[in-house]
Structure formats: structure tokens, C-alpha cells
Amino acid sequence: MTVERACTAAAVLVALILSAGAPGRADPLPAGDGNASGAGDRDPSRPNIVFLLADDLGWGDLSCYGNRRFRTPHLDRLAAQGAIFTQYYQAGSVCSPTRASLLTGRFPAELRIHGHLAAPEQNAKRDMPNYLDPGVPTLPQLLGKAGYTTIHVGKWHLGRPENGGDGLAAYGFDYARWIDCREGDRNLWSVGERPNATKELIDSAVELISRHRQRPFYCQVWLHDPHAPLGPSAEQMQPFRRGVPEGFTSPEMVYAATVVEMDRQIGRLIQALGEMGLERNTLVIFSSDNGPEDIEIGNASWSAFGSAGPLRGRKRSLYEGGIRVPLVVRWPGVVPAGRVDRTSVVAGVDFLPTLCAAAGAEVPAAVAEHVRGEDVSAALRGAADWSRTTPLYWQWRFRVFNHPWNRSPILAVREGPWKLLLNPDRSRVELYHIPDDPGEQNNRAGQRPEVVEKLAEKSLAWEKTLPSGIIEPAAGRNDYPWPAGK
């Protein structure tokens, strides 16, 4: 399916969901009387903010993005009440870099967060820190100074300084639960916990919101579904068995069951906002940290069915499928309902300036000079003439565990309609006109050398500003054996 067909299908689905007879639609959300202690009539210039982040969910995994293998009715309905963006990018192709950029508005390579944070020995081998520097200003810190209560629930994966205490106060959070999905002696990553893991996180988020809704709040709910290893229950998998013999599973049924259960639990959170009278003045954002996992990775060998839709690449790749993910935004009365934005190039680094603008939170000049994102409020409000003015940059220093076709060069830059991928030594140079070629099939480097030189100069200049560090010998190569070998 092409991106244009997928977007058309999404627009049709939005219309279906809004219609009275749409099959499989979510139950209506309670309107809320606006008089609850949640202050549903609060000035919309000071919205509550709920940021839902899935883990390893692909661009093509939601039915509002064209998926026909399974349905995600609650997120589809959220999209029908708001907008979806088809050209949304995260700043990383794996979890920790993306999360660092969402909190700081910085490109993660500038913070030395090149891959996922792991044990200190592994971090040291990759010239990475053990945690996000708490001295770097964050979105929750800025919102907290503006009077917001700040809440984190779920996966974190940015480490914590040893003297930072048990919570996330060092990063500006007033309350935190299930940090990295662990609490007490429970570990929601364990296969036995996975059938109810998202439910546990949503339960905690609802509880915290209910207790702290007297003031405007920012609540990020960072889920760990559908990151492997997955272990849905037999009951959750049953609707997706589709001829698979009893006693066996397929990656499709495992993955579909997990995503559909995640969607159902998100629906409970959205319903709870309505019951608390908060939905009319709450900005809800849903996205994923990067593209879908590859079946070559051991803990995903029984579940890697995630879809990047028509896009080339998967997790770890700097091709579109690794960094371009769903973005659904609902803000009643502000974000036009039922809108499919096919043209705005929006990115994770944009959330710090955008949400601070929405909340009336000051971004001091000393912070703003390091923020790489833009205030994209106009795009959220549906302005047809908005366009990005700053380029987006990526660096991936390691091998890409994918089919050779998905193994991208080390650097990438997106500016206007063009995307350039290259190795610093120019052993690979690829140029794509993304609006016409979202699947990155037609390398136009030879046809447009002036565009190559312009973007290469910018990308290589940016690379020179990055902290020095190890680059794996396999980085940027697509000629090593598949599977990846040694």
C-alpha cells in the first residue's frame, strides 16, 4: 500500500468512526459536565497534557494509518476527534535517543546518547553516558515552573544518577510510578506479567491524574508494549488465531493481540478523562518511539509482526520506517477534528517548544539556543501554509539488524522535501524526494548533485559538532552477511 493510499484509507476510516453505524467503533466517551474538580472549563490556553508513547510500534500498525490486519478502534476514534500526521519523525531510531529528545528538544547525538542505554560496561564501550545529564533542561522542569504538576508512568530508559533518589525529581517530575516498568518486586517486562502490563500502567496513570487534577498537569505514559518479549494471554490471542493450529502461535497473533490490548487500555484512559470532566481541556498525544522491531532480534523472533507500512526500514534504520512513526493529537476546539495532515514535517524535538507555548511556560534564552525543535502549534491548529524552517539530523553509529535493503548510512538529514543519507567518507550517498518517494526507492543523488552538496555540507558540519566517539566498523554498511553475522 502506498502512503497516499494509506492516508486515503485513514481519512475514510475517520469518517466511518464518526458515523453512527461504524463497525467496531469504540463506545462513546462521556461528555463530562465540566463541573468536576478536574476543572473541565479551564482556560484552553493552559491545557492538561497527556503524552502516550508506545514502544516499537510501526507507522503502519494502527488501522487509522491503513492497517487492515487488525483494528485499533480507540486510537482510531482519538484520531477522528483530532488529527493524524503522516510525516512525523522521532529523533532516534531506538528508544533512549528518542526519549532524550522528547524531554530536551535536542538531537540525542549531541547528548552522547547514540543507542539504548545499557549496563555501564556496554555504555562505556559505545562512548555513551549511563544516564541523561540532569543538568540539561527538560520539558517537565519548564512546565513545573509554569505551575504544572508533572507525572511520569512507565518505561524511562534514560538511566538515573546514583544520588538522584528513587524517583525522577532530577528531571523535573513531581510523581513517578513504574519507572522502567518495575515497582517493588514486580517487573512488567516479564512474560508472565505482559498480558496485564499496559493495564497496570494505565491504572496508575488514571489514579495519579485523579489525585492531582486540581492544577494543570503534564502526564507522560510511556508504555512498553509492543516491545519484545511479548506474552499475551491465550484469550487475547484467540481472535487472531486465523487457522494457526492449537498449541502453536504465529508472530501475527502475538503482536496483534498485544497492540489491540494496548489500544483497549488507552481507551480506558481516554474514557477516564471524560468521566473526570477533563477531556475538553486536555491535549492528548499518541506516538511511538521508533519503527517496528526486526525478527532477526532474538527476543522478537516469535512476535516481530510490526509494520512500517509502505516505508523502507525498521528499528535502528535511518530510512523512513525506522524513524517515521504515527502521531495522533487531540485537543478539542484547537486541533481540527478528523484531519489527516500529509504535508507538515513534525518531529519529536518540536514538543518542548510547542508544549511550552501551549502551557504558557517560558523557555529561557539560554535553553532556547540549544533547542533544535520548532513551535509547531500552527501545524497542530491546521494551518495549511505552515512549513518547517529548520532541518532534522540523525546519526546512527552502529550496525543495523535488518535485511540489507534496510541498512542505512550513518548520517541523515531532512530539509524541505529532500532527505539525504550518507556516510561521512561518502562511500554511500543517497538522495530521496520524500513526498514523491516515501519508500525511498529512487536514489536521485546523480540527478540533483546541487541538492546533495547543499545537504551534505550541512550534515557533515553538524556531525563535526558532535562529541567524538566510537563508530562500529559495520555502521553504514549494507554488504555484511544476512543475518548480520559477527
Side-chain angles (χ1 to χ4, degrees):
M1 179 182 286
T2 66
V3 166
E4 197 61 32
R5 285 180 61 197
C7 293
T8 300
V12 170
L13 183 59
V14 163
L16 284 173
I17 295 168
L18 286 172
S19 68
R25 62 194 276 266
D27 292 335
L29 295 179
D33 61 12
N35 296 317
S37 58
D41 293 327
R42 188 182 288 137
D43 181 352
S45 66
R46 297 269 291 170
N48 305 305
I49 303 167
V50 174
F51 197 142
L52 295 152
L53 189 70
D55 197 340
D56 292 1
L57 185 83
W59 188 96
D61 278 334
L62 303 183
S63 40
C64 58
Y65 275 76
N67 185 13
R68 291 297 175 267
R69 300 295 296 181
F70 52 85
R71 297 286 301 275
T72 50
H74 300 276
L75 285 166
D76 295 345
R77 186 161 188 265
L78 191 72
Q81 296 170 336
I84 66 175
F85 293 79
T86 70
Q87 292 198 66
Y88 171 73
Y89 293 92
Q90 296 293 18
S93 58
V94 298
C95 49
S96 299
T98 286
R99 294 161 198 274
S101 71
L102 292 173
L103 287 176
T104 66
R106 302 280 300 274
F107 294 128
E110 299 172 355
L111 303 171
R112 296 177 56 230
I113 300 181
H114 308 295
H116 71 281
L117 293 180
E121 298 78 12
Q122 186 177 354
N123 293 334
K125 288 180 180 178
R126 296 179 295 161
D127 286 324
M128 287 172 48
N130 291 323
Y131 48 82
L132 174 66
D133 181 358
V136 177
T138 66
L139 172 62
Q141 287 172 344
L142 298 173
L143 293 177
K145 291 177 181 178
Y148 273 66
T149 298
T150 54
I151 300 167
H152 170 86
V153 177
K155 184 175 177 180
W156 174 246
H157 213 159
L158 288 171
R160 285 179 280 173
E162 292 181 3
N163 60 353
D166 294 333
L168 297 177
Y171 299 100
F173 289 99
D174 298 315
Y175 304 95
R177 290 283 310 274
W178 291 106
I179 302 173
D180 282 324
C181 301
R182 293 170 169 84
E183 202 161 88
D185 60 356
R186 295 184 64 191
N187 177 5
L188 299 184
W189 282 103
S190 64
V191 173
E193 292 270 21
R194 293 309 290 268
N196 297 309
T198 294
K199 180 181 182 300
E200 291 280 2
L201 299 181
I202 295 299
D203 285 347
S204 291
V206 170
E207 178 190 357
L208 286 167
I209 290 171
S210 178
R211 282 168 38 200
H212 301 290
R213 54 185 163 142
Q214 291 77 19
R215 297 167 54 194
F217 60 82
Y218 169 79
C219 178
Q220 63 181 38
V221 188
W222 286 3
L223 309 172
H224 64 337
D225 281 337
H227 190 297
L230 302 183
S233 68
E235 181 181 7
Q236 290 168 346
M237 287 189 287
Q238 187 59 41
F240 310 101
R241 183 160 290 280
R242 294 173 184 161
V244 176
E246 291 293 336
F248 294 85
T249 65
S250 70
E252 177 181 1
M253 62 189 289
V254 173
Y255 191 81
T258 300
V259 174
V260 169
E261 175 62 13
M262 179 188 74
D263 174 77
R264 188 175 76 85
Q265 296 301 330
I266 289 172
R268 290 180 54 239
L269 173 58
I270 301 304
Q271 180 173 338
L273 292 175
E275 292 171 346
M276 287 186 275
L278 297 172
E279 67 177 43
R280 285 180 294 172
N281 195 34
T282 298
L283 167 57
V284 179
I285 302 162
F286 173 85
S287 190
S288 173
D289 61 348
N290 47 251
E293 184 58 279
D294 193 79
I295 202 166
E296 184 181 342
I297 302 301
N299 68 358
S301 60
W302 67 89
S303 63
F305 192 76
S307 171
L311 306 177
R312 179 180 180 181
R314 299 176 74 81
K315 184 176 179 179
R316 301 175 190 83
S317 177
L318 298 186
Y319 290 123
E320 295 286 281
I323 55 178
R324 186 165 157 181
V325 292
L327 175 63
V328 178
V329 181
R330 187 191 77 174
W331 187 2
V334 179
V335 174
R339 184 164 182 263
V340 180
D341 187 322
R342 301 176 176 86
T343 59
S344 298
V345 178
V346 182
V349 289
D350 298 332
F351 278 117
L352 185 146
T354 302
L355 296 182
C356 283
E362 179 187 1
V363 181
V367 177
E369 69 173 311
H370 297 291
V371 171
R372 307 309 180 198
E374 301 183 23
D375 179 357
V376 299
S377 301
L380 298 185
R381 294 174 186 270
D385 59 349
W386 181 87
S387 62
R388 173 167 219 95
T389 61
T390 56
L392 299 171
Y393 295 104
W394 294 267
Q395 183 195 56
W396 179 249
R397 298 185 174 196
F398 315 112
R399 70 178 63 195
V400 176
F401 291 91
N402 268 192
H403 188 279
W405 179 247
N406 293 331
R407 297 174 188 164
S408 61
I410 293 171
L411 297 173
V413 54
R414 172 80 195 264
E415 185 173 46
W418 295 102
K419 181 180 174 186
L420 180 74
L421 300 102
L422 78 162
N423 286 334
D425 63 2
R426 295 185 181 246
S427 56
R428 295 175 64 189
V429 178
E430 302 174 19
L431 179 69
Y432 301 102
H433 190 276
I434 296 301
D436 295 336
D437 183 22
E440 296 169 296
Q441 305 290 307
N442 181 21
N443 182 2
R444 299 179 62 180
Q447 302 166 22
R448 299 297 301 270
E450 77 285 2
V451 178
V452 169
E453 290 310 308
K454 173 187 173 185
L455 295 182
E457 181 180 358
K458 290 186 175 184
S459 185
L460 294 172
W462 174 70
E463 187 202 31
K464 289 180 180 178
T465 69
L466 301 179
S468 61
I470 293 171
I471 296 180
E472 280 189 356
R477 290 178 52 190
N478 60 359
D479 58 351
Y480 53 86
W482 184 83
K486 302 294 184 183

